[in-house]
Amino acid sequence: MAVATVVTSPMIAAPTDPKLKMPSPGTVHIGGSKRIQIGQGHWVWTKKVGSGEIKVLLVHGGPGADHRYFECFEDFLPLNGIEFYYYDQLDSTNSDKPNDPKLWTIERYTEEVEAVRQGLGLEQFYMLGHSWGGVLAIEYALKYQQHLKGLVISNMAASSDSFLYHVSKIRAQFPESDRAELERYENANETEDPAYQKLLLNKLYKVFICRLDPWPDPVSRSLDGWNQHVYNAIQGRNEFEVTGTMKGWDRLADLHKIKVHSLTIGARYDEMDPEDMRKMATLMPRGQSWISETGSHFAMYDDQQNYFNAVLKFLKA
């Protein structure tokens, strides 16, 4: 029986219509996607979007969500000549999934961000960390700010206790019957029950996470793919407690060490206290803040024009 063989040969540029624009023929084009090795045999998925001298690395929240809720950036940053990069953190949608809780720490994820920077060859770039990604942005800036041109901390306080204090005030405003129902499920350790999750969705998420109805498709897809195992290990069972590896995290006293141009973003209806975001900006030597008066945790969607006006002005300053 004859055995088929595969013959490889150098790629030869095919003749094209001179009116067409084609990328260089010397390589196989894959739409900007790239796997980055981050050590211990693991890898994460990244993707480059647009091109320009200003480069931005987006660091998503969760913990355990993914890049997809950042898709709205495609309609704003490339239009202004800004190049940006998505990446899914370890154990998130497009990346390696070792499912090893020992890897779910703030310190290891911070080193992961640095491995991504090295793999992408970024220098003097901007980092935008949203929510849990804001924790990583702060940690990265404190350890590796020599590589940064600027920092955006979007919708994340610099202290887990501060976050808990504010979200507890939000919870206290719920009707007594709803608070009692939440407590019943929590005391029975049944926070994964669909009824509990529905109550969270209606009373917390639809008011303080994203105020649009229905939610934009990228938000829904990202949260549908949320790795709850990572979330539970780092945060806890729900938004009202921090019992995981983020418990006691507090960098307020260290913010003065962040010397790069920095922007904090908050919102009136956020889980994070907007006053915390203002305070954080005053603690950084080159800090400034912007607060959405109508948006929530996802102000990039429910106060979109104002959110991106603030981000773009900062990036192009």
Side-chain angles (χ1 to χ4, degrees):
M1 179 182 294
V3 178
T5 59
V6 178
V7 179
T8 60
S9 60
M11 288 185 293
I12 301 175
T16 60
D17 186 327
K19 296 179 182 179
L20 300 178
K21 292 184 178 180
M22 302 286 282
S24 61
T27 186
V28 174
H29 295 275
I30 55 174
S33 292
K34 182 180 181 181
R35 289 186 179 187
I36 304 292
Q37 298 297 319
I38 59 170
Q40 298 180 292
H42 303 309
W43 56 270
V44 295
W45 171 91
T46 71
K47 183 179 175 67
K48 171 181 174 291
V49 179
S51 60
E53 293 184 3
I54 299 174
K55 304 180 191 304
V56 183
L57 177 65
L58 303 180
V59 185
H60 68 72
D66 63 28
H67 77 283
R68 288 179 289 185
Y69 72 78
F70 280 136
E71 287 176 353
C72 57
F73 282 68
E74 296 182 22
D75 290 326
F76 292 88
L77 270 60
L79 189 66
N80 287 275
I82 298 172
E83 177 180 311
F84 74 90
Y85 294 82
Y86 296 126
Y87 104 85
D88 281 349
Q89 295 160 25
L90 193 69
D91 280 293
S92 292
T93 303
N94 290 329
S95 293
D96 195 12
K97 298 177 180 64
N99 194 33
D100 182 356
K102 294 193 299 294
L103 301 174
W104 301 338
T105 67
I106 294 173
E107 294 77 15
R108 195 216 56 80
Y109 276 110
T110 302
E111 294 307 313
E112 175 182 293
V113 176
E114 170 59 7
V116 168
R117 181 203 68 79
Q118 291 181 22
L120 295 174
L122 295 175
E123 285 289 354
Q124 294 306 294
F125 68 104
Y126 289 89
M127 180 179 295
L128 186 150
H130 174 259
S131 193
W132 151 253
V135 172
L136 299 181
I138 291 170
E139 291 292 329
Y140 184 87
L142 288 171
K143 189 170 184 180
Y144 294 111
Q145 66 182 296
Q146 69 270 24
H147 301 297
L148 291 173
K149 186 172 184 179
L151 182 70
V152 181
I153 304 166
S154 182
N155 308 88
M156 186 64 221
S159 161
S160 60
D161 286 344
S162 179
F163 157 68
L164 282 176
Y165 178 73
H166 187 65
V167 81
S168 67
K169 290 197 300 181
I170 291 173
R171 177 168 170 150
Q173 297 170 13
F174 294 170
E176 183 177 352
S177 59
D178 291 332
R179 298 199 307 271
E181 191 75 352
L182 288 170
E183 289 173 9
R184 184 172 72 83
Y185 284 105
E186 291 162 359
N187 292 337
N189 199 27
E190 296 176 351
T191 55
E192 295 183 4
D193 188 291
Y196 180 86
Q197 293 298 322
K198 183 177 180 180
L199 193 55
L200 277 186
L201 177 66
N202 290 329
K203 294 299 178 180
L204 184 67
Y205 295 162
K206 287 187 174 181
V207 182
F208 296 95
I209 298 295
C210 184
R211 297 170 67 81
L212 298 177
D213 187 15
W215 281 0
D217 177 69
V219 174
S220 295
R221 282 186 291 111
S222 187
L223 298 187
D224 284 347
W226 197 352
N227 188 331
Q228 291 292 316
H229 298 296
V230 176
Y231 174 80
N232 293 342
I234 297 176
Q235 165 96 11
R237 298 180 301 172
N238 54 51
E239 294 293 278
F240 303 119
E241 59 184 44
V242 178
T243 57
T245 56
M246 208 170 84
K247 183 178 181 178
W249 178 78
D250 190 329
R251 286 296 201 170
L252 278 169
D254 296 313
L255 291 180
H256 71 278
K257 301 174 185 176
I258 298 177
K259 309 296 186 182
V260 297
H261 193 35
S262 301
L263 171 68
T264 62
I265 294 177
R268 180 179 180 184
Y269 299 101
D270 196 353
E271 289 183 316
M272 310 295 162
D273 189 342
E275 291 307 314
D276 282 350
M277 310 311 297
R278 289 190 176 97
K279 178 181 178 180
M280 289 162 59
T282 67
L283 294 175
M284 293 183 283
R286 301 176 64 195
Q288 63 187 83
S289 63
W290 175 78
I291 307 300
S292 167
E293 293 301 323
T294 59
S296 67
H297 198 58
F298 281 87
M300 63 187 72
Y301 284 100
D302 54 24
D303 190 14
Q304 190 168 76
Q305 294 292 323
N306 289 322
Y307 180 95
F308 280 102
N309 181 65
V311 169
L312 289 168
K313 280 186 174 180
F314 174 78
L315 295 176
K316 297 179 76 71

